[in-house]
Amino acid sequence: MENEAKRPANFIEDFVTQDLASGRFDHVHTRFPPEPNGYLHIGHCKALCVDFGIAQKFGGKCNLRFDDTNPTKEETAFVDGIQRDIEWLGYKWDKLYFASDFFDRLYEIAKDMIRRGVAYVDDQTPEQMRANRGTLTKPGVNSPYRDRSVEENLDLFERMKNGEFEEGSRVLRAKIDMANPNVLLRDPAMYRINRHSHHRTGDKWCIYPMYDFQHPVQDAIEGITHSLCSLEYEIHRPLYDWFVAQAGVTDQPPRQIEFARLNIERTVLSKRYLREFVSTGVVSGWDDPRMPTLVGMRRRGYTAAAIHDFLNRVGVAKSDSTVELSLLEHCVRAPLAETAPRAMAVIDPVKVVLTNWPEDKVDMLTIENHPDHPEFGSREVPFGRELYIEREDFMEEPVKKFFRLAPGKEVRLKGAYIIQCEDFVKDESGEIVELHCTVDMDSRSGSEGANRKVKGTLHWVSAADGVPCEHRLYEPLLAEDAPDVNAVEVDEDGETVEVPSGSILDRLNPNSLTVKQGFCESWIAKHEVGATFQFLRMGYFCKDPDSTADKPVFNRTVALKDTWAKVAGK
Ligand code: ATP
Ligand code: MG
């Protein structure tokens, strides 16, 4: 958070400063309003860091509000998961509210609007309503039910509430202007009928408020001063202000301010599609380490600090852009370089037999856990006749500049001896199954003979000590960057919908997950789930909850190569 104090104020902070100076508000109160129909992704995370961050910066408060107005997709498990995620990021909300806590109040406000002649029950079918809405260039057509009497409207609305009508047969609409150039102001729906059981109110209600009505009114009821949201809500702002004014619950109307959404290359940031990934089994669940959800990122080994660092660097802007994935990876990698112990694991093993090493001889080697942090200590690693190295570290016919193992070539085994490859064994399919090498007995690291230099150093795992383990390597879920994945609209539930052309399932990267069976040093296997390591040359890994006592599983958090730092010259 140190960077936080140093960076220049963003435009939202400027607006808030002006509002405090002009006396429009004498305090700051924001809210984060997720819909509990999925887990939070890093895009929500940006929104919540802005909401909580502005409150913190101005000594104000931030509410957590679940916008649970569509019972069809909402679940208590998501409510709990979202709270855990926010706490994990280190934020504390002021009040915890649910839109459903306000259903009675909203219903009364709607009735009051009917009495004042600014809301009516419409019997048109959804198709008729759509057809009569007009277009950007053509005004809409008034509904034949628009001029019903107040009494008839009150009666019908009550009967909607009492469950007398079918889903989709009637809605309550605001009476604004069917010719307004902003299509959203052409008598928007305020209530619709939905007969699903609600995760909190059960079957008490069968009518639910629409986002454009509920959201601003609830902001006003909660005493929100600044209602911060992503850019796609900009065209909804006149409607926001209209409903706040109609509700008449505050004489200090909240101010809606929009900021750019977070878009990341090859990353889907839309719950709708993430839900599809989960329901179709593209991923193992919301916490699959490939998911851009906080639960997924946490499982993969990303820390809250890395996510804050990333979002601070991205900043808050007024126009949309797409951030490079390598920046996120850079932010994840940089702190791990300091905190993750160095260890050895072989992801794709091939066996090495040291032919001149006596059968029962075991050397205990002392290897430090971090080259720059002596306080991390060291470990004893047994070195014997058989070990594993990485398959890609041997070439039968080495290409130029291949400084690893090849027939007749020498390499140093990290922290151990220099070996020379004498021979190899292939199976029937032609795959190499065993390498036969000799050891230079005088070359042990740290001893005098160790002064002899060879070009390549390989990581290795002792066959006697090594534990079988699984490595899961990840790539982005999307096959290639698809710019139109970032185009968004807001649907009637206030859900932002990304609009890719064609099915999202056609754009998946077939290599997003690679599973490899290898070996790791035994001391690594003993660590807790969530522990992170740098496996030499292979990247940073985090122990996964799928690990068993016999077989640890490691997720590659991020590879070692930092393409962003290179490009950005950092
Ligand atoms: P999604 O795009 O994932 O479907 P949503 O609008 O359905 O989002 P909500 O739970 O309503 O999901 O979102 C909570 C808040 O997070 C909203 O204020 C929304 O504007 C914001 N938000 C969602 N995605 C992003 C993003 N990519 N960048 C910034 N803010 C976002
Ligand atoms: Mg939403």
Side-chain angles (χ1 to χ4, degrees):
M1 301 260 159
E2 251 171 52
N3 299 347
E4 182 71 358
K6 281 188 223 138
R7 65 164 175 73
N10 65 47
F11 76 97
I12 299 179
E13 292 162 2
D14 290 341
F15 282 155
V16 173
T17 303
Q18 284 161 20
D19 287 348
L20 293 172
S22 72
R24 177 167 174 174
F25 298 109
D26 62 3
H27 68 288
V28 172
H29 204 142
T30 59
R31 86 288 168 265
F32 174 61
E35 189 183 352
N37 59 354
Y39 286 91
L40 297 181
H41 56 59
I42 191 164
H44 297 121
C45 193
K46 169 168 184 179
L48 80 92
C49 289
V50 172
D51 295 328
F52 281 93
I54 289 284
Q56 269 176 0
K57 173 130 192 171
F58 291 91
K61 291 173 175 166
C62 180
N63 292 352
L64 170 59
R65 176 203 312 154
F66 288 101
D67 256 340
D68 55 347
T69 55
N70 178 3
T72 321
K73 294 171 287 186
E74 294 160 3
E75 287 175 30
T76 308
F78 296 137
V79 170
D80 299 340
I82 290 171
Q83 296 189 50
R84 268 197 304 275
D85 282 347
I86 297 174
E87 285 168 347
W88 180 68
L89 287 166
Y91 291 119
K92 287 199 170 51
W93 50 87
D94 179 39
K95 299 272 182 346
L96 171 66
Y97 286 126
F98 289 82
S100 52
D101 296 335
F102 296 82
F103 283 168
D104 287 291
R105 181 99 185 253
L106 290 164
Y107 179 70
E108 290 307 320
I109 290 170
K111 280 209 304 204
D112 185 55
M113 287 176 62
I114 294 176
R115 281 189 207 102
R116 284 185 286 111
V118 289
Y120 63 98
V121 174
D122 194 348
D123 302 359
Q124 291 183 102
T125 63
E127 295 72 40
Q128 287 168 330
M129 260 185 271
R130 212 167 297 130
N132 289 338
R133 188 176 295 147
T135 63
L136 286 178
T137 49
K138 206 175 92 203
V141 176
N142 283 357
S143 162
Y145 306 97
R146 198 172 195 262
D147 294 316
R148 277 179 157 150
S149 69
V150 167
E151 290 65 36
E152 191 182 2
N153 276 319
L154 282 173
D155 174 60
L156 285 171
F157 187 46
E158 183 157 349
R159 288 166 60 194
M160 273 172 70
K161 173 185 161 244
N162 292 341
E164 290 187 31
F165 307 123
E166 293 300 303
E167 268 188 30
S169 62
R170 284 181 170 82
V171 293
L172 182 73
R173 294 179 79 172
K175 199 175 196 175
I176 307 182
D177 174 13
M178 287 305 291
N180 198 293
N182 183 339
V183 180
L184 293 170
L185 289 162
R186 294 182 190 167
D187 293 9
M190 292 170 60
Y191 270 91
R192 44 92 199 264
I193 301 169
N194 182 323
R195 292 183 176 279
H196 271 81
S197 259
H198 187 279
H199 73 116
R200 293 184 80 238
T201 58
D203 298 320
K204 178 178 175 193
W205 295 90
C206 64
I207 55 169
Y208 291 91
M210 307 300 285
Y211 178 86
D212 276 326
F213 166 59
Q214 169 267 332
H215 194 90
V217 174
Q218 194 164 339
D219 278 350
I221 294 172
E222 288 180 26
I224 299 306
T225 57
H226 295 88
S227 180
L228 314 174
C229 58
S230 37
L231 267 185
E232 67 275 14
Y233 292 96
E234 190 172 14
I235 47 166
H236 294 245
R237 194 185 333 137
L239 194 51
Y240 181 98
D241 294 338
W242 190 86
F243 274 120
V244 168
Q246 288 298 330
V249 296
T250 178
D251 49 13
Q252 282 203 310
R255 172 174 185 182
Q256 175 175 310
I257 303 171
E258 308 85 14
F259 57 88
R261 286 170 63 86
L262 175 69
N263 299 311
I264 307 175
E265 289 177 327
R266 298 180 73 178
T267 306
V268 171
L269 293 181
S270 164
K271 262 187 286 186
R272 175 166 305 200
Y273 297 116
L274 298 179
R275 271 201 301 269
E276 196 173 338
F277 290 165
V278 173
S279 66
T280 55
V282 163
V283 295
S284 62
W286 286 94
D287 67 345
D288 187 301
R290 288 169 292 174
M291 290 281 270
T293 51
L294 294 179
V295 273
M297 291 180 160
R298 189 151 72 229
R299 181 167 170 190
R300 181 151 169 183
Y302 288 19
T303 60
I307 291 172
H308 281 295
D309 180 30
F310 170 69
L311 292 171
N312 277 336
R313 287 169 190 249
V314 170
V316 182
K318 277 192 233 187
S319 58
D320 281 326
S321 62
T322 298
V323 180
E324 285 170 61
L325 197 51
S326 58
L327 174 59
L328 175 59
E329 292 182 341
H330 172 82
C331 295
V332 168
R333 187 185 294 111
L336 285 175
E338 291 303 311
T339 58
R342 307 303 200 246
M344 292 197 285
V346 174
I347 290 180
D348 185 12
V350 63
K351 194 171 209 174
V352 176
V353 178
L354 303 175
T355 51
N356 62 335
W357 188 274
E359 281 292 344
D360 45 8
K361 177 176 158 73
V362 176
D363 237 15
M364 290 310 274
L365 306 173
T366 304
I367 300 188
E368 54 187 1
N369 294 339
H370 197 296
D372 307 327
H373 291 285
E375 73 278 15
F376 283 25
S378 59
R379 60 192 187 273
E380 299 274 287
V381 181
F383 185 88
R385 188 175 153 91
E386 294 190 352
L387 51 98
Y388 299 100
I389 63 164
E390 212 68 63
R391 184 168 290 280
E392 64 172 30
D393 284 347
F394 174 80
M395 271 183 109
E396 190 179 337
E397 289 167 23
V399 294
K400 237 181 159 185
K401 297 204 173 156
F402 184 79
F403 298 123
R404 304 182 205 168
L405 206 54
K409 291 272 172 36
E410 281 189 321
V411 292
R412 173 171 291 286
L413 295 174
K414 173 80 185 170
Y417 294 84
I418 293 173
I419 61 169
Q420 178 167 25
C421 180
E422 308 292 350
D423 196 9
F424 53 86
V425 181
K426 284 185 178 175
D427 66 9
E428 288 143 22
S429 68
E431 191 175 80
I432 291 178
V433 288
E434 208 167 278
L435 302 175
H436 293 162
C437 302
T438 48
V439 187
D440 173 353
M441 291 292 196
D442 296 325
S443 64
R444 179 173 161 164
S445 291
S447 70
E448 250 173 55
N451 294 337
R452 190 158 81 82
K453 287 261 184 286
V454 288
K455 277 222 164 108
T457 301
L458 304 187
H459 61 279
W460 54 278
V461 170
S462 149
D465 168 68
V467 173
C469 64
E470 180 169 311
H471 298 99
R472 298 179 180 167
L473 312 178
Y474 303 107
E475 285 182 23
L477 274 169
L478 290 186
E480 63 208 39
D481 194 25
D484 55 351
V485 150
N486 299 321
V488 293
E489 286 169 3
V490 181
D491 77 3
E492 55 191 12
D493 296 319
E495 186 166 17
T496 19
V497 187
E498 298 189 1
V499 273
S501 52
S503 166
I504 194 86
L505 301 179
D506 294 339
R507 328 164 75 102
L508 296 177
N509 174 5
N511 303 319
S512 63
L513 170 64
T514 305
V515 178
K516 291 280 189 190
Q517 308 299 332
F519 294 92
C520 67
E521 297 179 62
S522 62
W523 74 286
I524 306 173
K526 295 185 197 113
H527 283 70
E528 306 262 297
V529 164
T532 48
F533 301 91
Q534 186 196 95
F535 289 165
L536 288 175
R537 282 227 340 272
M538 305 321 275
Y540 293 98
F541 286 76
C542 176
K543 190 168 172 187
D544 189 81
D546 284 349
S547 300
T548 62
D550 301 332
K551 191 175 183 191
V553 175
F554 295 102
N555 298 313
R556 178 146 72 187
T557 308
V558 63
L560 291 183
K561 208 167 123 207
D562 192 336
T563 47
W564 186 80
K566 224 187 210 162
V567 174
K570 302 274 151 147

